[in-house]
Amino acid sequence: MAYFDLHAHPALKAHLSGTQTANRRPVWASEQDEVPVASPLVLFMRTILRHQANLYQLEQGEVNLNVSVHHSPEAGMVASKLFQTVAGQIPTFVSPALLREVQQVGQPGQRTYFDHLRDSLALLPDGLRGPQGQRVRVLRRLAYYDPEAVNIIRAVEGAHCLYSDPDGRTAADNLRRRLDEGHRFLYLTLAHLTDNRICTHAFGMRMKAGPVVITRSRDFYPRGAGLTPTGADLIRVALRAGVLIDVKHLGREGRRQYYALRRQEFPARPILCSHGAAAGCSRDQPPSRKTVAHRAEADLVVVHYRQGGLNPGVTPRDFNCWSINLYDEDIREIVDSGGLIGLSLDKRITGVSKTAKEIFSRAEYNLIPDRPAVEVAGPQATEDADVEDEDDLLEADEQAEARSPGPADDHEAGISWPERTRRRHLRFLARQILYLVRVGGPGTWRCLCIGSDFDGLIVPLKCSRSVLDFDDVEDALVKRLVGLADGNPRARYGLDPDNVRDKVRDLLWRNVWRFLERHFNDPAA
């Protein structure tokens, strides 16, 4: 059975392991690498560093058509205690020399983010062979699809990857250069986790792991509100060339501005969210409880939400309501455009983990109607105004979750805690699907696919730890969806026992195939 993934990173971990192609770990490893436990801080990195979507796994899991996302690691990210600790203790997994190189990006005479993008692209060339003769096919048109190969379509995550100057003025020119050199990208994700000169990004970085501060880098804080003129110009260049825009990581106001630009200038171009989930609320009515001024940064506010993640006694209907996810208005925009929503398989994004606080730029927060007034920060330590990270990041907390996943349903009596946890995570995924359909309407079924973010340094859902689990996820979703469609499933969700398998198969393969036939089958513009 064939599967598709709209957003995976088969080259990122190889990229992090060295400074040149020759000294990097192979992108086509035949075995799973065991991550040594070097310190308590590295414990939760074991799940993150283990491969989830390398080429071997893609081939074995029959994910023979996927979008390989190329990303230049950001200076703020590699400067974090998390990366520095892993590099110091497991240098074969994260190269200290590579981290130093990235931290020097933007300095005179040093390599640029654009150079690192070139490195990432070079790790997955067309025609790359595996140890048993497996082949990689890098597609420039869907018509070149080879069912006997691992077929890859390229995309770029973060407009910073196109910078060859500190201010990003060269981004549009560098995108043209890559396209002129023969590359083709399905989409460009405008933002990632750190501030850029293209747009305001949605806050998404873990600042702590339990009690341990990972980073206090200001790079992760959103600035401004929306698209810059440079960003709007880059969007126009991309869309004219047939490169679609991915709204994941784009902030609340930037998404609204992009939708207006697209409707006015490029109405035929569909909207993508490559690896996201529903926020479970309206853009103008997030479940905020209070907002506190950030003690260290005058132009930032910290929003406290009413809902949290799943702990015993908290309903599993909770969502991650951070602005990094799709508000109800975003869902409708994407569906109306004929676009795609790639379902992330990241625990935090899908709502399994706690989502107590989020950081906004004050300028963007002020655009939310009926927002709570910003309170003066109290006498707490500065870092307490940052986002406390999710409990599940530490290995001990993951084990605690497995031991105590909440009351068992009658039909789960006698089932082990790990299996119950796996089933509960599957319910989160199924509820995401049903919520998206309820908000976007029956046409949403044609817009859904998997956008796992595997090998993108995530903690995956326990029902799908890698692409090797897609087959099991298909069967489990078929069984789960009808049971979770409360009320009248036929009227509300267009779902019944007779069509559920077809809808799941559409989600895992056919939706994207039909989409690519429309939007990736003509010669590149």
Side-chain angles (χ1 to χ4, degrees):
M1 194 74 74
Y3 298 98
F4 176 87
D5 195 335
L6 185 62
H7 192 96
H9 293 269
L12 178 59
K13 290 174 180 175
H15 191 166
L16 290 170
S17 68
T19 56
Q20 301 175 24
T21 301
N23 65 21
R24 288 181 164 118
R25 299 167 70 224
V27 292
W28 205 318
S30 59
E31 296 180 358
Q32 180 60 270
D33 295 310
E34 184 57 37
V35 181
V37 180
S39 70
L41 183 59
V42 175
L43 276 175
F44 80 90
M45 281 293 285
R46 293 164 64 191
T47 302
I48 294 172
L49 290 175
R50 286 172 179 156
H51 281 296
Q52 302 152 353
N54 66 20
L55 293 180
Y56 172 78
Q57 291 167 314
L58 290 170
E59 189 252 347
Q60 290 293 303
E62 299 183 87
V63 187
N64 66 349
L65 179 60
N66 74 98
V67 177
S68 168
V69 182
H70 295 272
H71 169 71
S72 304
E74 293 143 288
M77 181 180 295
V78 303
S80 69
K81 181 177 180 180
L82 181 110
F83 270 88
Q84 294 295 327
T85 299
V86 175
Q89 298 177 3
I90 321 175
T92 56
F93 281 73
V94 176
S95 164
L98 186 279
L99 299 193
R100 289 192 296 271
E101 200 173 81
V102 173
Q103 287 179 270
Q104 294 169 355
V105 160
Q107 297 180 16
Q110 302 300 319
R111 303 189 77 221
T112 68
Y113 283 132
F114 192 48
D115 293 325
H116 285 279
L117 175 62
R118 287 196 191 97
D119 287 355
S120 179
L121 293 168
L123 286 168
L124 284 178
D126 187 29
L128 178 68
R129 292 276 179 171
Q132 282 81 48
Q134 307 99 316
R135 290 181 295 110
V136 169
R137 190 77 189 267
V138 177
L139 303 185
R140 299 187 71 251
R141 299 174 64 180
L142 183 62
Y144 300 153
Y145 170 79
D146 180 352
E148 302 301 319
V150 176
N151 296 269
I152 283 173
I153 297 171
R154 286 175 166 159
V156 175
E157 183 170 28
H160 71 283
C161 300
L162 300 168
Y163 288 13
S164 55
D165 70 281
D167 295 325
R169 293 184 302 271
T170 56
D173 288 339
N174 285 336
L175 177 60
R176 291 190 191 96
R177 287 174 62 187
R178 289 276 80 108
L179 299 174
D180 290 345
E181 291 168 1
H183 296 288
R184 189 172 184 185
F185 305 112
L186 177 62
Y187 60 79
L188 168 65
T189 311
L190 293 176
H192 195 232
L193 293 174
T194 60
D195 185 38
N196 68 32
R197 306 298 188 270
I198 299 297
C199 59
T200 303
H201 72 285
F203 183 78
M205 178 60 183
R206 299 178 170 103
M207 307 300 285
K208 293 183 177 180
V212 179
V213 175
I214 294 175
T215 180
R216 294 193 180 104
S217 174
R218 301 173 72 251
D219 291 346
F220 296 108
Y221 297 149
R223 307 291 178 181
L227 303 173
T228 67
T230 301
D233 288 344
L234 176 61
I235 288 171
R236 293 183 176 99
V237 168
L239 291 178
R240 289 187 190 114
V243 180
L244 302 177
I245 297 300
D246 173 22
V247 298
K248 176 61 187 276
H249 294 294
L250 182 58
R252 172 189 182 279
E253 179 64 12
R255 298 201 295 270
R256 190 191 66 78
Q257 292 174 357
Y258 169 61
Y259 301 149
L261 184 156
R262 173 198 161 270
R263 282 195 296 270
Q264 183 174 1
E265 300 182 35
F266 301 93
R269 298 298 192 198
I271 303 168
L272 300 183
C273 177
S274 66
H275 57 300
C281 61
S282 165
R283 176 177 62 209
D284 295 335
Q285 294 179 315
S288 51
R289 177 169 53 86
K290 67 175 181 176
T291 302
V292 179
H294 193 286
R295 292 189 72 237
E297 301 278 347
D299 60 344
L300 299 176
V301 295
V302 184
V303 177
H304 297 243
Y305 293 113
R306 291 192 181 91
Q307 56 190 150
L310 184 73
N311 292 315
V314 179
T315 170
R317 296 177 189 273
D318 282 350
F319 295 84
N320 180 337
C321 53
W322 282 17
S323 61
I324 199 172
N325 274 341
L326 296 174
Y327 295 123
D328 294 352
E329 293 82 354
D330 296 308
I331 296 166
R332 297 186 188 104
E333 285 278 357
I334 295 171
V335 173
D336 290 347
S337 78
L340 288 175
I341 299 173
L343 295 164
S344 171
L345 300 179
D346 185 336
K347 285 176 58 178
R348 186 168 55 117
I349 294 301
T350 52
V352 173
S353 304
K354 183 173 68 178
T355 57
K357 307 174 188 177
E358 178 182 5
I359 294 177
F360 279 90
S361 73
R362 189 180 290 262
E364 188 155 58
Y365 178 76
N366 286 342
L367 297 172
I368 301 176
D370 301 322
R371 60 197 175 275
V374 178
E375 302 176 13
V376 176
Q380 72 270 26
T382 300
E383 59 265 25
D384 289 341
D386 295 339
V387 175
E388 293 180 357
D389 204 53
E390 294 76 13
D391 295 336
D392 70 288
L393 285 178
L394 294 179
E395 188 83 0
D397 292 311
E398 288 205 351
Q399 293 170 355
E401 179 190 51
R403 289 193 300 269
S404 303
D409 297 332
D410 290 342
H411 68 279
E412 290 184 335
I415 298 174
S416 67
W417 294 124
E419 175 60 16
R420 283 178 56 196
T421 301
R422 188 194 69 80
R423 294 186 182 192
R424 183 161 51 85
H425 287 199
L426 180 73
R427 285 199 294 272
F428 269 86
L429 181 59
R431 290 186 190 280
Q432 278 285 339
I433 293 169
L434 294 180
Y435 184 88
L436 291 164
V437 172
R438 187 166 77 242
V439 171
T444 308
W445 285 111
R446 298 189 298 272
C447 301
L448 298 178
C449 64
I450 294 296
S452 69
D453 204 15
F454 280 157
D455 267 5
L457 306 177
I458 68 165
V459 179
L461 293 170
K462 286 181 167 41
C463 62
S464 186
R465 295 175 181 267
S466 76
V467 295
L468 296 173
D469 292 335
F470 281 1
D471 188 34
D472 292 336
V473 169
E474 177 170 13
D475 290 337
L477 274 178
V478 169
K479 296 175 183 177
R480 177 61 60 179
L481 277 170
V482 172
L484 288 179
D486 50 357
N488 185 339
R490 188 182 298 274
R492 201 173 191 189
Y493 301 106
L495 185 67
D496 60 58
D498 295 329
N499 67 14
V500 62
R501 184 166 288 278
D502 277 343
K503 291 188 180 299
V504 171
R505 184 95 289 266
D506 285 348
L507 185 155
L508 294 170
W509 178 261
R510 290 192 293 250
N511 285 343
V512 175
W513 186 269
R514 290 189 287 256
F515 180 90
L516 294 173
E517 284 183 321
R518 296 192 300 273
H519 300 290
F520 200 76
N521 225 1
D522 293 330

